[in-house]
C-alpha cells in the first residue's frame, strides 16, 4: 500500500503551512518514472520537510529497526558463528591449559555415530510428538467446549490457564513431591480410581512409567496454551457460515467436519508449530523432574547438551551438538511453515 | 490541541524511561564497594558442618579482627557453582573448601595456591594429619609431596541403623529363628543384605518399613558414591596398580561385575519405593521419618542424626561399611580447605588456615560438629568415647578409597553415573556390559587428555 | 435472546449441551488446579506433615513454611536455647519450638527483587524495541523484510542451553556473568523476536488511513506513531507484554547457567531450598505460591488481551 496524496486536504479553517508535509517517500509505487511524476509537486516541500521537520521516514525506519537487529546479532548470531568455529575444536573449558586443537569434523562424526545420542534424539522426538498430540487433542476439545459459552466459563478458563504461568523448573521440582509413591498424592489418587496399591509403582522411578510423567506434566502446563489458540480460531469463524449450514440442515457432526475443523486448522497447525518448537527446546522441567532418569530413559537431548557443555565442559563437542540440533529444528520448521502457508491459502 | 497532549505523553514516557534507567543503574551499581574493613569469604557446601564452621569462625574473628563472610551452596549445585567460579577466575571466594576430587583440576589449572612453602614457614606438617586425608584432600599429583589444601573435613561413608528396632526381643527372636544368628550390625555385605531382606516390608509400630537406604542419585555423583562402597569390597580397581590408566580387566573384572550385580540386587530387593534419584538428603529424610532400618550416608551427618528428636539418642546406632569378599573399604568423602589463587586477600586467607590448623581449634571443630583430620585430635585417648560414632569413624579412615581426582574427573564421574544408573535403576543391559562401556568411556576421556592408555 | 456477536451466536447451543460442556470443563479445571492447591496447602504444613505418609489432606496449618523461607536457622542444643533471652516475635517463638534459632534472613528477598528487575526490565525493553521495529516493518518497505522477519523467528528456535554455550564464554570475557544487566540484555534479545512478530501483526491490523490522515494534518511520522498508532495498539502491546513477562519471569536455563549469586532470580533458587534433610517442602511451596502471585495478577489484569495476543501477528502473516 502506498500513500498517494499529492495535495493534502485541508480541514476547515486551516491554512497550508510550508514545510509541514511528510510524504512517505519510501511507499511510492512502481517504476522510477511514476515515482518522479508523483513526487514532483511536493519535491521541494519534501526536501524541506527532511531537514526542518524532524527525521525522514527512511531514517526513522532504520532507527527503529537497528537496535533490534543489533541486539539479535550480538546475542544470537555472533555467538552462533562463534559456536560454529568452536565446534571444530577440542576445547574443554575446565582444562583450558591444554593446547587448543582443531579437529575438523571429528566432533560431528563422534556425535552422529554415537548410538546413545541417536537414542536421546529419538526419545526427544517421541516426547515432542506425544506431548503435542495430547495437548492438541485436549486443548482443542476444551476450546470447543468453552466456546459453548456456558455461564461462568470465563472463570473456569482462567483457572485452567493457571498452570501455564508457572516456571517450568519450579513445576518439575514440585511434581517430584506429588509423584512420590509414599508421600505424594498422585499415587493415592490413582489408587482411589483403580485400586492399585500406591506403594506398588513409582512414576518417576520405573522405566515404563517415567516418560509418562514428563508427558503428563507438560500437558498439564501447556494444553491451556493450545486451548487459547484454538479458542481464538473458533471465534474467528464467522457466524454466517454456520447459519448457512443450519439452513442447509447440516448436522452438527457435519458442521464440525466441514466448517469448524477446516477453518480452525491454520490455528491448530500454528499451535502445533509453537508447541513443537518449545518442547524440542525442553530442558528445565524434565531436568528437575527426573534428572533424565531412570538411567537415560527421559534424558531429552538438551539435558545431554547441558551435561556435555556445563558439567563435562566439552565445549567443542557440545557446540557441534548444538549446531546439529539447530539445523534440525530449523529445517523441520521451514518445511512445516511452508505446509502451514499452503493450508492458509485454501 | 497539538501541543498540550504531546507534553503529557512525552513526560510519561520519559518518566518511565527514567525510572527504568534508575533501576538499571542501581542494578549495575549494586555491586557493593570493596569493604574497607578486613573480610574473608569462605565458600563451601550448605550443610550442618558448614553451620558449625560459622560458629567456629567467630573465634577467628575475635582473634584476628578479620570478618568472615560465607557463601554456602546446596550439594546438588556445589560442584557446578564453584567449579564455575574457579574456572572464571572469580574473586568471590578467598578460601574454598573444595571437594576432594577437584584437586587435580585445581592444581593443573592453578586455581589454588600451592601451600608447601606456607606449611614449611608456619611449621605445619602434613605428618600431623591422617595419611588418608592428606592423600585424598591435599596431594596432587597423588603420592607426591605437593600440597594444595589443608585437610579440613575428614569424611567417609558409614551406616546408621535403628538400634531400638534391633533390640526388640520379638524381632531378635524372629531373626534368630530365620537366620540362626543374632541380630547385630552387619560385618559383611551378605549379612547386610539378609538384615535388609528381613526388615523389608515389615510392620513396625503400625507402619510398613524397609530394609536399607542406598544412594541412587543420577544428576551429580550420588549413585557412584554409593556403588563404590560395594565395588571396592568386591575387588574393583580403577586401574592397574603397576600401570596407571590401564583399566581393562580392572574396572570390568569378573569381581567388579559381581560387585555391581550385588548393588543392583540390594537396590531391587530391600529399599524403599520411589527412591530412584536419592542422595544424602533424601537418606536423612527416609531415616528420620522411620522408613528404613539401615541408612548409608556420610559421617558428616551423624552428629545431626544423633541429636534428632525422633530417631536420635538411644534409637540410633552406627556401623562401618561392611566388608566384601575381597576386602573392606569405604568411599572417601571430605574436603580440604584451600586458598584461591586470584584472591586479593591471600595473606589473610593463609592466616585463617594457620589458625584452623591449630590443635585447639581442631579439637573444638570436632566438638561442635565438624570432623577433624588432625592426628592429635583423633588419636587422643578420649576420642573414641567423645561421640557414639567416633570409633566407627576412626576405623573407617583406615580403609578409605577415593574416586579419580584427575583434572578430567567430572567427565569420568558423569560417565560412571550414566553407566551405573542405566544398569542398576533403568535395567539396561548387564553389569558386564555396563562396566565394559565404562572402560570405553574412560579410555576416550584419557586419550583426549593425551594420556597413554594401555589396553592390554 | 441476547444478540451476542461472537461466533455461534445464532447457533447457540442448547442448554443441555451447555451443561454437558460445563461439567466436562469444570471437571478438567478442578483436576488442573488440584496440584496447585496441594502445593498451596503444603506451604502451610509443618515439616513432618509435608512428608507424612500417607499424605495428609487434613492437617494443622502453621506458618513454618513461610518463616523457613525467609530465614536461615541453625539447630542448637536445648540448654543453649534455654540460655538465650526469651523469644519476642511470633516467628522467633515458632522457630525455637523446634530447637532452632534464627541466624539471619535468607536470600529469598534479593532473589525476588532480581526477578522483578530482570523480568520487568527485559519486558519493558523488549516491548519498546519490538514496537518500534514492528512499526517499521509494518509501515515501511524494508529491504529483505521477509528474510529479516524469518531470521528473527529463527532465533527463537535455538535451545537456551545451546545459546548459553557461547554466551557463557562471551559474558565471562565481558564480565557480564552474574550481572542483572547481562541477564536483562539476554532476556530482551530472546523476547524481542516474539515481540516483533506479535506487534507487527497488531500494527498491520491498524488501518493506515488514520496515520495518513494525521500526516496530512501536518504531524510528523513520529507524532503520528505516538498519537494515532500507539493508542490503537495498546491491546497488542499489553498482550505482548504478558508473554514477554511470563517468559522472563519463569526462565530457568539461562538463569541457572549464567548467574549464581548477585543476579540469580527465583526459578534457580526455589528448587534448591534445602532444609535439614532433603528439600524444605513447605518453604519451597511457600516460595512457589509467592512467586506465582505477581504473574497471576498481571495476567488477570490484562486477561482480555491474552486471547488476541496468541493469535494476532502470528496467523496474520
Amino acid at each position: 500500500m502506498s500513500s498517494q496524496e499529492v495535495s493534502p486536504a485541508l480541514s476547515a479553517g486551516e491554512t497550508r503551512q510550508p514545510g509541514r508535509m511528510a510524504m512517505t517517500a519510501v511507499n511510492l509505487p512502481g517504476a522510477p518514472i511514476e515515482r518522479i511524476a508523483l513526487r514532483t509537486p511536493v519535491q521541494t516541500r519534501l526536501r524541506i520537510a527532511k531537514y526542518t521537520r524532524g527525521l525522514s521516514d527512511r531514517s526513522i525506519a532504520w532507527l527503529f529497526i537497528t537496535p533490534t537487529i543489533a541486539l539479535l546479532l550480538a546475542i544470537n548470531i555472533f555467538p552462533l558463528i562463534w559456536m560454529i568455529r568452536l565446534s571444530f575444536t577440542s576445547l574443554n573449558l575446565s582444562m583450558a591449559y591444554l593446547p587448543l586443537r582443531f579437529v575438523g569434523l571429528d566432533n560431528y562424526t563422534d556425535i552422529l555415530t554415537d548410538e546413545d545420542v541417536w537414542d536421546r534424539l529419538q526419545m526427544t522426538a517421541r516426547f515432542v510428538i506425544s506431548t503435542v498430540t495430547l495437548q492438541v487433542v485436549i486443548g482443542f476439545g476444551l476450546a470447543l467446549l468453552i466456546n459453548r459459552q456456558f455461564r461462568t466459563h470465563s472463570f473456569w478458563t482462567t483457572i485452567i490457564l493457571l498452570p501455564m504461568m508457572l516456571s517450568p523448573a519450579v513445576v518439575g521440582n514440585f511434581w517430584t513431591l506429588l509423584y512420590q509413591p509414599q508421600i505424594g498424592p498422585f499415587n493415592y489418587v490413582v489408587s482411589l480410581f483403580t485400586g492399585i496399591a500406591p506403594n506398588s509403582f513409582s512414576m518417576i522411578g520405573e522405566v515404563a512409567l517415567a516418560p509418562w510423567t514428563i508427558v503428563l506434566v507438560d500437558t498439564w502446563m501447556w494444553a491451556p496454551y493450545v486451548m487459547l489458540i484454538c479458542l481464538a480460531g473458533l471465534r474467528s469463524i464467522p457466524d454466517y457460515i454456520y447459519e448457512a449450514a443450519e439452513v442447509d440442515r447440516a448436522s452438527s457432526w457435519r458442521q464440525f467436519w466441514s466448517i469448524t475443523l477446516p477453518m480452525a486448522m491454520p490455528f491448530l497447525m500454528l499451535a502445533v508449530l509453537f508447541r513443537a518448537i518449545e518442547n524440542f527446546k525442553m530442558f528445565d522441567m524434565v531436568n528437575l523432574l527426573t534428572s533424565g532418569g531412570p538411567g537415560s530413559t527421559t534424558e531429552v537431548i538438551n539435558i545431554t547438551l547441558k551435561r556435555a557443555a556445563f558439567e563435562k565442559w566439552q565445549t567443542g563437542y557440545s557446540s557441534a551438538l548444538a549446531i546439529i540440533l539447530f539445523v534440525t529444528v530449523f529445517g523441520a520448521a521451514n518445511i512445516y511453515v511452508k505446509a502451514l502457508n499452503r493450508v492458509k491459502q485454501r | 490541541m497539538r501541543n498540550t497532549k504531546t507534553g503529557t505523553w512525552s513526560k510519561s514516557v520519559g518518566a518511565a524511561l527514567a525510572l527504568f534507567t534508575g533501576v538499571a543503574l542501581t542494578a549495575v551499581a549494586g555491586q557493593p564497594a570493596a569493604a574497607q574493613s578486613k573480610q574473608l569469604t569462605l565458600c563451601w557446601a550448605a550443610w550442618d558442618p558448614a553451620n558449625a564452621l560459622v560458629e567456629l569462625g567467630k573465634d577467628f574473628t575475635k582473634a584476628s579482627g578479620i570478618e568472615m563472610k560465607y557463601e554456602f551452596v546446596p550439594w546438588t549445585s556445589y560442584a557446578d557453582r564453584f567449579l564455575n567460579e574457579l574456572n572464571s577466575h572469580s574473586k568471590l571466594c578467598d578460601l574454598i573448601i573444595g571437594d576432594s576430587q577437584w584437586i587435580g583440576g585445581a592444581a593443573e589449572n592453578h586455581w589454588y595456591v600451592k601451600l608447601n612453602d606456607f606449611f614449611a614457614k608456619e611449621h605445619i606438617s602434613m605428618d600431623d594429619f591422617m595419611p588418608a586425608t592428606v592423600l585424598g584432600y591435599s596431594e596432587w599429583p597423588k603420592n607426591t609431596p605437593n600440597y594444595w589444601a589443608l585437610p579440613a573435613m575428614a569424611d567417609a561413608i558409614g551406616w546408621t541403623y535403628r538400634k531400638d528396632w534391633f533390640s526388640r526381643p520379638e524381632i531378635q527372636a524372629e531373626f534368630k529363628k530365620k537366620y540362626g544368628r543374632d541380630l547385630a550390625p552387619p560385618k559383611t555385605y551378605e549379612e547386610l543384605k539378609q538384615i535388609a531382606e528381613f526388615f523389608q516390608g515389615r510392620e513396625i509400630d503400625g507402619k510398613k518399613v524397609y530394609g536399607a537406604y542406598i544412594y541412587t542419585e543420577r544428576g551429580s555423583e550420588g549413585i557412584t558414591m554409593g556403588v563404590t562402597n560395594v565395588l571396592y569390597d568386591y575387588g574393583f580397581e580403577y586401574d592397574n596398580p603397576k600401570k596407571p590408566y590401564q583399566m581393562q580387566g580392572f574396572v570390568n573384572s569378573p569381581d567388579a561385575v559381581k560387585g555391581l550385580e550385588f548393588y543392583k540386587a540390594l537396590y531391587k530387593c530391600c529399599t524403599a519405593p520411589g527412591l530412584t534419584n536419592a542422595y544424602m538428603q533424601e537418606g536423612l529424610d527416609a531415616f528420620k521419618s522411620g522408613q528404613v532400618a539401615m541408612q548409608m550416608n556420610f559421617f558428616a551427618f551423624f552428629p545431626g542424626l544423633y541429636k534428632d528428636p525422633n530417631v536420635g539418642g538411644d534409637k540410633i546406632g552406627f556401623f562401618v561399611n561392611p566388608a566384601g569378599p575381597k576386602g573392606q573399604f569405604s568411599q572417601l568423602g571430605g574436603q580440604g580447605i584451600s586458598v584461591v589463587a586470584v584472591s586479593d586477600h591471600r595473606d589473610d586467607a593463609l592466616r585463617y588456615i594457620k589458625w584452623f590448623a591449630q590443635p585447639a581449634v581442631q579439637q573444638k571443630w570436632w566438638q561442635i560438629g565438624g570432623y577433624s583430620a588432625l592426628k592429635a585430635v583423633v588419636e587422643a585417648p578420649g576420642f573414641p568415647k567423645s561421640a557414639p560414632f567416633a570409633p566407627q569413624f576412626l576405623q573407617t579412615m583406615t580403609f578409605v578409597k577415593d574416586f579419580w581426582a584427575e583434572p578430567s574427573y567430572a567427565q569420568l564421574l558423569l560417565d560412571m553415573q550414566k553407566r551405573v544408573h542405566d544398569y542398576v535403576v533403568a535395567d539396561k543391559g548387564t553389569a558386564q556390559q555396563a562396566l565394559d562401556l565404562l572402560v570405553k568411556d574412560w579410555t576416550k576421556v584419557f586419550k583426549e587428555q593425551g594420556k597413554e592408555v594401555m589396553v592390554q | 435472546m441476547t444478540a451476542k456477536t461472537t461466533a455461534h451466536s445464532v447457533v447457540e447451543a442448547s442448554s443441555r449441551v451447555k451443561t454437558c460442556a460445563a461439567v466436562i470443563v469444570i471437571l478438567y479445571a478442578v483436576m488442573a488446579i488440584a496440584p496447585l492447591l496441594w502445593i498451596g496447602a503444603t506451604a502451610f504444613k509443618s515439616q513432618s506433615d509435608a512428608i507424612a505418609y500417607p499424605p495428609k489432606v487434613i492437617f494443622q496449618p502453621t506458618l513454618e513454611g513461610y518463616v523457613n523461607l525467609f530465614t536461615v536457622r541453625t539447630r542448637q542444643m536445648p540448654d543453649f536455647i534455654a540460655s538465650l533471652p526469651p523469644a519476642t516475635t511470633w516467628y522467633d517463638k515458632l522457630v525455637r519450638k523446634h530447637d532452632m534459632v534464627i541466624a539471619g534472613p535468607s536470600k529469598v528477598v534479593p532473589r525476588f527483587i532480581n526477578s522483578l528487575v530482570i523480568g520487568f526490565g527485559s519486558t519493558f525493553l523488549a516491548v519498546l524495541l519490538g514496537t518500534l521495529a514492528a512499526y517499521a516493518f509494518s509501515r515501511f518497505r524494508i529491504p529483505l523484510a521477509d528474510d529479516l522477519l524469518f531470521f528473527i523467528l529463527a532465533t527463537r528456535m535455538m535451545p537456551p542451553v545451546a545459546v548459553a554455550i557461547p554466551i557463557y564464554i562471551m559474558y565471562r570475557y565481558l564480565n557480564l556473568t552474574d550481572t542483572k544487566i547481562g541477564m536483562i540484555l539476554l532476556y530482551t534479545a530472546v523476547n524481542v523476536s516474539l515481540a516483533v512478530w506479535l506487534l507487527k501483526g497488531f500494527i498491520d491490523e491498524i488501518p493506515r488511513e488514520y496515520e495518513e490522515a494525521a500526516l496530512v494534518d501536518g504531524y510528523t511520522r513520529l507524532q503520528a506513531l505516538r498519537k494515532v498508532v500507539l493508542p490503537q495498539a495498546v491491546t497488542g502491546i499489553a498482550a505482548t507484554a504478558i508473554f514477554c513477562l511470563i517468559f522472563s519471569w519463569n526462565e530457568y536455563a539461562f538463569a541457572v547457567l549464567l548467574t549464581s549469586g548477585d543476579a540469580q532470580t527465583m526459578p534457580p533458587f526455589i528448587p534448591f531450598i534445602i532444609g535439614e534433610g532433603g528439600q524444605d517442602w513447605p518453604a519451597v511451596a511457600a516460595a512457589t505460591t509467592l512467586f506465582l502471585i505477581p504473574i497471576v495478577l498481571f495476567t488477570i489484569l490484562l486477561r482480555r488481551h491474552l486471547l488476541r495476543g496468541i493469535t494476532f501477528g502470528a496467523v496474520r502473516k
Side-chain angles (χ1 to χ4, degrees), chain A residues 7-55:
Chain A
S7 31
L10 295 171
S11 41
E14 258 196 59
T15 50
R16 187 186 300 271
Q17 302 185 18
R20 279 190 165 271
M21 293 305 133
M23 279 280 288
T24 55
V26 281
N27 280 2
L28 288 171
I33 297 180
E34 279 153 66
R35 255 187 272 137
I36 295 170
L38 281 165
R39 204 193 286 158
T40 316
V42 291
Q43 183 87 12
T44 34
R45 281 190 225 124
L46 180 63
R47 259 194 252 119
I48 299 171
K50 205 160 128 178
Y51 291 111
T52 60
R53 231 13 186 122
L55 305 160

Side-chain angles (χ1 to χ4, degrees), chain C residues 44 75 84 135 142 154 180 219 278-279 285:
Chain C
F44 292 101
R75 179 168 286 280
L84 290 173
Y135 181 77
I142 312 276
K180 296 205 238 314
Y219 287 111
Q279 290 215 253

Side-chain angles (χ1 to χ4, degrees), chain B residues 1 6 28 81 84 208 281, chain C residues 53 168 181 219 226 260 277:
Chain B
M1 174 194 105
T6 316
V28 173
R81 166 82 194 276
N84 212 339
K208 196 151 103 158
Q281 319 282 10
Chain C
Y53 79 102
Y168 174 76
I181 283 286
Y219 287 111
R226 254 197 346 240
S260 43

Side-chain angles (χ1 to χ4, degrees), chain C residues 6 26 73 77 113 126 153-154 159 233 241 246 278 310 315:
Chain C
T6 53
I26 293 180
R73 302 155 312 282
M77 303 298 306
I113 294 182
L153 180 64
I246 291 184
I310 298 230
V315 180

